[in-house]
Amino acid sequence: MLSFFRTGGSDPYDEDDVGLARDVASHTALCIDNACRFTCEYTIAATVRGYQLPRCPASHSTVETAHLYVPGFSGGGGWFDTIPLSGARTALVVGEVAGSGIQTATTMGQLRTVIRSLAALDLQPDELLARLNDTAAFLAAERAALPAGEPLHRQPLSASCVYAVYDPVTCTCTFARAGHTAPVIIRPDRSTEVPESTPGPLLGSAEGPPFAATTADLPHGSILALCTPSILTTPPADSEGAPALLREVLAQPGRPLKDLCDDTLDTLRSKDCPGDAVLLLARTRPFPAHSLATWLLDQEPAAAATARGHTRRTLADWNVDEDTAYAAELIVSELVTNAIRYGAPPLQLRLIKNHTLTCEVHDDSATSPQLRHARTVDEGGRGLFIVAQLAQRWGTRYTAEGKTVWSEQALPHSGLPS
């Protein structure tokens, strides 16, 4: 409703007043229409973004996680994720796509999906970001190829990301970042540390230095904090380079992670965030020694029988059912035989009892194993084809010292390691 009033001895409205009233009404109507359109687009973008973010990132047996997500006023493209990896490892991801609206939320979902697919290949953090950058560059080229009249054509794609992998066996974290804020480590003694690392270029960049991986030790009970720059916009950095906000609010390693997120939220309410404020906290624990077994094997044919014996006795001590144990013996035998024939010493066998039973065989050769299907004259398959039939999933991950071929089997009646 638009109302005009005259009071006291005011002169009657004339034609100039009517014209002014019409101009005010037209401008106000345009503002209301723009506000409705913005609200509608923001609601759609928020809905799309909400469906593409993890509802509740699962905490794993060696990593307890909690998160804080506060969307920016204009609806940005921040995201986070936790991804289970082979060998009881966990990947932690935080990233942000520059911009706002539906296209930004859609691009965020595309990058998050690509990261999940690449993580399944057991890539190192720096290699994963390099391949993710290829995808971002492709999406950026698609934007640039749009007609000049398209609004998206004038918005170059730019995104940042930090990808970290925690290994509970070695109690280390390896991370790489693409133009993103470095992770912060809060140790059990309340000290904070920002590991020295080389920031790579933003995702979507055609040029820039290659991505670099950094490894840091995480003692039992440490907290790893990954966040977007919006968390750190106002507080200054202390003399050690750790953001003051994380030092003051998060440097309480004994408190529940959810309480630390709530305290951070209270701090954010006192300032305006230019983008999405995302905080992912992970409290680390070493893998329980009684659920882990490792042996060094000789580079000789008899090593396969030795590995089967180790596996049989260990799984009996772990109360693994007979069917799973029998399949594990076959898997170990095939993996060790494959390493003896095509790998290089030293050989190492490792068994991990977690949510699943993991069998790993490591050797110093970087030669990629190939799955060969059974021929008509073969009874049940050959080599890794047998492993693929018996295991729930299997794969290969490469390190500076060689490769590890692993397989996972379901444990229907097992509980989590304490």
Side-chain angles (χ1 to χ4, degrees):
M1 178 183 294
L2 181 61
S3 302
F4 297 91
F5 300 93
R6 294 187 304 157
T7 60
S10 301
D11 295 332
Y13 294 133
D14 56 21
E15 289 299 324
D16 292 338
D17 296 326
V18 174
L20 177 60
R22 286 174 176 169
D23 291 341
V24 171
S26 298
H27 184 73
T28 303
L30 180 61
C31 292
I32 293 175
D33 183 65
N34 288 339
C36 291
R37 290 175 181 270
F38 172 81
T39 302
C40 180
E41 181 177 348
Y42 176 81
T43 302
I44 295 174
T47 302
V48 173
R49 181 181 60 233
Y51 277 109
Q52 296 186 103
L53 290 175
R55 296 294 180 181
C56 183
S59 291
H60 309 283
S61 59
T62 56
V63 176
E64 174 195 358
T65 61
H67 72 276
L68 170 67
Y69 182 85
V70 181
F73 175 74
S74 58
W79 86 89
F80 62 94
D81 210 346
T82 64
I83 307 172
L85 302 177
S86 65
R89 300 170 304 141
T90 302
L92 307 166
V93 191
V94 168
E96 185 174 25
V97 179
S100 61
I102 300 174
Q103 293 295 340
T104 298
T106 302
T107 303
M108 176 270 290
Q110 291 174 313
L111 293 181
R112 177 173 175 255
T113 301
V114 171
I115 288 178
R116 282 223 159 225
S117 299
L118 293 176
L121 299 178
D122 274 322
L123 301 178
Q124 294 296 318
D126 52 339
E127 184 179 355
L128 184 142
L129 287 186
R131 298 196 182 187
L132 181 64
N133 185 64
D134 293 339
T135 300
F138 170 76
L139 297 176
E142 282 192 331
R143 283 194 182 189
L146 292 173
E150 290 283 347
L152 198 60
H153 175 80
R154 300 187 297 270
Q155 301 178 13
L157 189 151
S158 178
S160 64
C161 179
V162 56
Y163 181 86
V165 175
Y166 172 65
D167 188 339
V169 177
T170 59
C171 292
T172 58
C173 173
T174 302
F175 68 91
R177 53 195 182 107
H180 200 88
T181 305
V184 178
I185 299 174
I186 300 95
R187 303 191 182 279
D189 60 1
R190 301 173 63 93
S191 63
T192 58
E193 176 192 358
V194 178
E196 293 186 5
S197 59
T198 303
L202 289 170
L203 296 176
S205 302
E207 299 178 355
F211 300 98
T214 302
T215 301
D217 295 328
L218 293 180
H220 174 51
S222 298
I223 296 177
L224 185 67
L226 282 66
C227 63
T228 55
S230 295
I231 294 282
L232 311 174
T233 52
T234 300
D238 60 17
S239 59
E240 296 180 356
L245 173 66
L246 295 177
R247 184 193 65 221
E248 297 174 1
V249 178
L250 302 181
Q252 307 174 62
R255 297 189 60 198
L257 296 184
K258 188 60 179 175
D259 290 349
L260 298 180
C261 289
D262 292 340
D263 291 346
T264 305
L265 178 60
D266 292 338
T267 304
L268 291 175
R269 286 172 178 165
S270 62
K271 64 173 184 173
D272 295 328
C273 295
D276 290 355
V278 181
L279 175 65
L280 179 61
L281 300 179
R283 177 179 283 120
T284 62
R285 295 187 292 264
F287 197 83
H290 58 77
S291 297
L292 176 69
T294 304
W295 302 272
L296 290 177
L297 302 175
D298 296 327
Q299 186 79 7
E300 57 183 25
T306 302
R308 288 196 300 270
H310 290 322
T311 302
R312 186 183 312 111
R313 290 187 294 271
T314 301
L315 298 188
D317 294 338
W318 288 350
N319 296 320
V320 175
D321 63 279
E322 293 184 2
D323 292 340
T324 302
Y326 177 74
E329 284 189 50
L330 292 179
I331 290 174
V332 166
S333 181
E334 292 298 332
L335 293 182
V336 172
T337 300
N338 186 75
I340 293 174
R341 289 182 177 179
Y342 308 108
L347 303 183
Q348 177 181 280
L349 168 64
R350 184 164 70 178
L351 302 179
I352 303 173
K353 183 187 178 186
N354 195 18
H355 299 276
T356 59
L357 177 63
T358 302
C359 304
E360 296 183 347
V361 174
H362 176 85
D363 70 86
D364 274 13
S365 171
T367 303
S368 176
Q370 296 182 359
L371 185 149
R372 299 177 61 186
H373 291 272
R375 299 174 300 177
T376 55
V377 296
D378 294 329
E379 294 183 359
R382 51 193 302 179
L384 293 177
F385 184 65
I386 298 178
V387 176
Q389 289 181 314
L390 297 176
Q392 191 175 24
R393 64 190 189 113
W394 72 280
T396 305
R397 65 175 182 267
Y398 296 91
T399 64
E401 296 79 21
K403 69 176 182 297
T404 297
V405 184
W406 56 269
S407 71
E408 289 185 355
Q409 298 170 259
L411 292 175
H413 305 296
S414 68
L416 299 179
S418 58

